[in-house]
Amino acid sequence: MDDLLTKYLGAIASVADESSLEDLRVAALGKKGEISLKMRELGQMAPEARQTAGAALNRLKDEIDAALRARKATLADAALDERLKTEWLDVTLPGRPRRQGTIHPVSQVTEEITAIFADMGFAVAEGPQIESDWFNFDALNMAPEHPARQEHDTFFMARAEGDDRPPHVLRTHTSPVQIRAMQAQGAPIRVIAPGRVYRMDMDQTHTPMFHQVEGLAIDRDISMANLKWVLEEFCRAFFEVDRVDLRFRASHFPFTEPSAEVDIRCSWTGGQLKIGEGDSWMEILGSGMVHPKVLAAAGVDPAEWQGFAFGMGIDRLAMLKYGIPDLRAFFESDLRWLRHYGFGALDKPTLAGGLSR
Ligand code: PHE
């Protein structure tokens, strides 16, 4: 047995890779391995001899097994070291231009919108994407039984069992940020609120998540005329055309009175969309004078303050401006699409430097 031990320990120590080590394990401890066969011979021995031989064989087996495992671990470490030597990476090297990422059209357009409104004195406000029922609906003059709630195709969050408060929602529009901003800053106030919103809807022009930008301007004497000027000024700057025709259409939102939807004049010739000319109209936003109940809900006295609000779809604006046909592609993270429609990472849109270079 000592000979066997010496033989195998020597062989194990000199093996250079894991597969030869495995061959050795089979030769010693495999079903038909040398040690296993010896174990089988125990059956023919006299009981006393069997006891001593059995114990010794078991010890031998354990020792060989332990040596095999130790060698295996050493070989695995060495193999890993070898691999790491060939796979190292110098993280201090500068980025390679060939692999430069691009700015997503939604980010680009959000930056463009922000630059234009900043120039008109609007600050950026934010709110959470998981919103309370009160901010998303009640405070905006949509009580629980209000029929407009149904039109929002709302995603509801789960509540713990037995908790019967109204569930939180994924915000269905950016309008709750109106309330949050007025609560935080009071009046006068001039903010925009870009961000993600969610509705249960999916086809070529709808995705369950999309982007809106809210606008809110409250002061003592702000009127629909100011709303009209701001939106016309915005469209001229955003679409980078001298002439835009906007059409204000009477509409209804619970949180504005009066309310208007706004269409922009455009033409479709040969599948090509042109803004500012032609006989077609394309809806781009909802707007109106903030309802007195909404001001009151946000802690602003409607007897003293008034103003306008609007909400536009950012993705829709990006599609219009950059001629992108399918909304769903926006969120598929297809690298070819991103390379084609993406913007240079360092080209920041500014009014002075040009919005889309
Ligand atoms: N929140 C409305 C919507 O998502 C848009 C809107 C905002 C309308 C502000 C009027 C005023 O459809």
Side-chain angles (χ1 to χ4, degrees):
M1 282 200 203
D2 284 346
D3 289 349
L4 276 176
L5 186 63
T6 326
K7 169 177 155 192
Y8 279 109
L9 290 188
I12 290 168
S14 61
V15 138
D17 60 81
E18 288 185 71
S19 83
S20 319
L21 189 67
E22 175 61 11
D23 292 345
L24 209 51
R25 190 191 65 78
V26 172
L29 307 178
K31 256 203 175 97
K32 291 182 182 149
E34 202 167 0
I35 312 291
S36 310
L37 292 178
K38 285 255 178 294
M39 292 276 202
R40 241 173 263 173
E41 289 169 15
L42 290 174
Q44 291 122 43
M45 290 187 180
E48 251 152 60
R50 187 195 303 160
Q51 236 177 19
T52 36
L57 262 178
N58 268 326
R59 260 197 317 279
L60 175 65
K61 187 182 149 208
D62 289 347
E63 269 175 280
I64 291 177
D65 189 54
L68 282 166
R69 283 172 198 280
R71 184 72 187 144
K72 188 169 170 151
T74 312
L75 288 175
D77 280 352
L80 180 62
D81 280 346
E82 258 330 287
R83 212 180 108 199
L84 289 178
K85 260 184 236 159
T86 64
E87 292 183 3
W88 67 277
L89 200 66
D90 183 352
V91 295
T92 65
L93 283 175
R96 284 172 221 174
R98 265 184 310 127
R99 298 198 184 158
Q100 211 166 50
T102 59
I103 299 295
H104 194 284
V106 170
S107 302
Q108 166 79 15
V109 163
T110 304
E111 290 282 332
E112 293 179 16
I113 294 170
T114 306
I116 296 167
F117 281 108
D119 191 55
M120 293 194 264
F122 286 75
V124 172
E126 284 180 316
Q129 294 174 43
I130 296 174
E131 189 54 284
S132 78
D133 181 80
W134 189 82
F135 277 107
N136 196 80
F137 294 122
D138 294 64
L140 291 162
N141 195 27
M142 279 187 267
E145 66 287 348
H146 198 292
R149 281 194 177 210
Q150 257 90 70
E151 287 159 30
H152 276 230
D153 305 312
T154 310
F155 285 109
F156 295 96
M157 308 296 291
R159 277 255 186 238
E161 203 157 326
D163 185 343
D164 45 15
R165 290 174 296 168
H168 280 60
V169 301
L170 291 181
R171 67 178 179 192
T172 57
H173 50 177
T174 43
S175 299
V177 187
Q178 289 185 36
I179 308 295
R180 290 183 175 275
M182 284 190 279
Q183 278 187 345
Q185 298 176 38
I189 187 172
R190 219 186 294 173
V191 289
I192 56 165
R196 297 183 161 185
V197 300
Y198 302 82
R199 292 186 199 176
M200 233 180 295
D201 210 346
M202 182 75 169
D203 59 34
Q204 193 169 348
T205 53
H206 296 89
T207 47
M209 185 281 294
F210 59 105
H211 300 81
Q212 285 188 336
V213 58
E214 194 80 7
L216 175 71
I218 305 290
D219 209 322
R220 294 183 191 278
D221 53 5
I222 289 186
S223 71
M224 287 291 271
N226 301 116
L227 170 67
K228 192 156 187 261
W229 181 84
V230 163
L231 292 177
E232 278 173 353
E233 201 58 22
F234 166 75
C235 288
R236 242 194 308 277
F238 179 75
F239 289 109
E240 301 177 69
V241 292
D242 291 334
R243 198 195 134 88
V244 281
D245 272 341
L246 296 185
R247 183 169 77 173
F248 282 63
R249 235 176 337 99
S251 181
H252 177 263
F253 300 100
F255 32 91
T256 45
E257 179 58 36
S259 304
E261 281 177 303
V262 177
D263 306 330
I264 190 166
R265 185 189 288 281
C266 61
S267 71
W268 288 100
T269 32
Q272 185 71 28
L273 177 71
K274 277 230 172 87
I275 297 295
E277 58 183 60
D279 302 315
S280 301
W281 296 91
M282 166 93 57
E283 183 194 319
I284 54 166
L285 63 94
S287 65
M289 295 298 289
V290 178
H291 197 291
K293 284 190 179 170
V294 173
L295 294 173
V300 168
D301 182 1
E304 206 179 328
W305 306 100
Q306 62 177 39
F308 63 75
F310 59 82
M312 330 191 239
I314 294 180
D315 320 83
R316 166 68 73 91
L317 287 176
M319 293 169 78
L320 286 176
K321 180 166 178 180
Y322 294 110
I324 309 173
D326 189 346
L327 176 65
R328 287 169 298 192
F330 274 62
F331 310 115
E332 281 169 1
S333 304
D334 183 325
L335 283 175
R336 291 161 304 177
W337 188 92
L338 290 168
R339 266 182 215 121
H340 182 77
Y341 287 111
F343 291 82
L346 301 176
D347 294 340
K348 280 229 137 206
T350 66
L351 289 183
L355 286 175
S356 55
R357 274 166 292 172

